[in-house]
Amino acid sequence: MEKFYITTPIYYVNDKPHIGSAYTTIAADVLARFYRGQGADTFFLAGTAEHGSKIAQSAEKAGKEPKVFADEMSAKFSLAWDILNISNNDFIRTTEERHTEAVKLFFEKLKQSGKIYEGEYEGLYCVGHEAFIKESELVNGLCPEHKTKPEVVKEKNWFFKLSEYGEILTKKIQSGEFIILPEERRNEVLSFISQGLEDITISRQNAKFALPLPWDENQTIYVWLDELFNYCSAIGYGANDEKFKKYWPADLHLVGKDIIKFHCVIWPALLLAIGEQIPKKVFAHGFFTVDGQKISKTLGNVIDPVEWANKYGVDAVRYFLLREVAFGEDGDVSEEKLRTRYEGELANGLGNLVSRLTTLIEKFLEGKVTIDTSIFPNDEGAGEAIENFRFHEALSIIWQWVQWCNKTVDENKLWELGKTDIKKFEQLANQLSSALFFIAQTLKPLLPETSEKILKIITAPKITKAEPLFPRIE
Ligand code: MSP
């Protein structure tokens, strides 16, 4: 692969990052680091979505101007990604001029496409979703997810002829030109399309804190279209043709399963309308619950990934989220579960291995070992697992090696062998150090900090007893 353009959703700044947004972003980071490591010209984009009523309302609640509020919240996201060791190449904000200018161009192109028309829309708008919601979806008159009453909207809008795109999208999905993963999500999209696509509104009548529609001053751009276009604006659409040509189309949009219709139906149709290539692949992962319950502010179970990182370390958070749930499936997380894995697999597993081995090497070999990288010529399928989005499996493969190493130390009673048979001890210590080197190499995209620490420890000219990688938590 020559280039690899990967994106995360751009998150709404109505609230600070939580474990769900961190999850998508960490997974994207693993892939970006992996392909970068393979030599692909990788561009990894993250960012924040800052327009719309949802943000205007949150800003009002906080007693702040929307833009001031958005600035503060967006900074929390970029800081959180720094703390979680996310290697994004850029961070796009929809309030930036480079984005708003590109969106203007995009809408002019749409207008010229002949695929839009003026009409009247009547419907129920859920601000939490930033989307229209069907009456049949309501529970006791409320949006079942946001527990709020949708706004009754009857207004003049501009429409996009999405209804014309069902056949071509189906063809592209079936031929593999447009890949949707996992299979279940692909089937969901195909079945949604087969029920017949309806045209969608692309503007609203003066929604709060939204971009103006270039040709109609009484209309504002529907936030979702503004947001989707970030994937193009960030790589220079209309401003830096060379960069845009180099990276577009996106190789992979990573999203949660909640937003697949936007990414797998509306987005490619819009791109086709303006004559641009469509993304190559969308992968939609599952949703987390916390202690079996939906994550919600009302329930007060929102987990702050930065708090976890401060308490347990960045790589513990990365390890836990990637290991606990198979990517693509729904799963449950909790601090209890994190602790169990922390103690068992990180502190007593990998951490213990590194401290024992380095202590023994310092004691019996004056800190000298020979690492032979040819003993482990390949990564035993860990790389292939990453390429196939099976991060939990990659970690499980690596941890089999960790276990093998710890078992080798125990079964050979290395702490005694050092006194009784130094030749055999040295041979095993070399082998174990080589295994640890291999473990650290394979861990690079998954747990970059730990990988770097181990490589530094194990390749030092004189190995000394290492500080615990995963200290005991009180
Ligand atoms: N602004 C839109 C995305 C626009 S992309 C062009 C948006 N933002 S959001 O802040 O609501 O983020 C939604 C995303 O957050 C989901 O697609 C998913 O990636 C992540 N998650 C939010 N809650 C989650 C869980 N409970 N579990 C896992 N991921 C979750 O939608």
Side-chain angles (χ1 to χ4, degrees), residues 16 36 56-57 73 104 129 139 143 177 207 222-223 275 278 298-299 324 360 393 398 456-457 465:
K16 58 183 187 172
R36 228 180 256 132
Q57 280 182 3
M73 298 304 283
K104 212 197 248 170
H129 272 99
V139 177
C143 161
E177 186 188 333
Y222 174 39
V223 282
I278 65 168
T298 342
L299 289 171
E324 184 69 20
L360 293 170
E393 199 181 304
I398 300 170
K456 205 169 156 216
I457 291 169
K465 179 181 176 357

Side-chain angles (χ1 to χ4, degrees), residues 276-307:
E276 289 297 342
Q277 286 179 273
I278 65 168
K280 291 186 194 156
K281 200 184 271 186
V282 175
F283 187 103
H285 65 73
F287 255 51
F288 283 150
T289 49
V290 172
D291 291 314
Q293 286 187 300
K294 196 180 142 352
I295 302 176
S296 94
K297 263 193 177 172
T298 342
L299 289 171
N301 62 354
V302 181
I303 294 169
D304 182 344
V306 172
E307 259 172 47

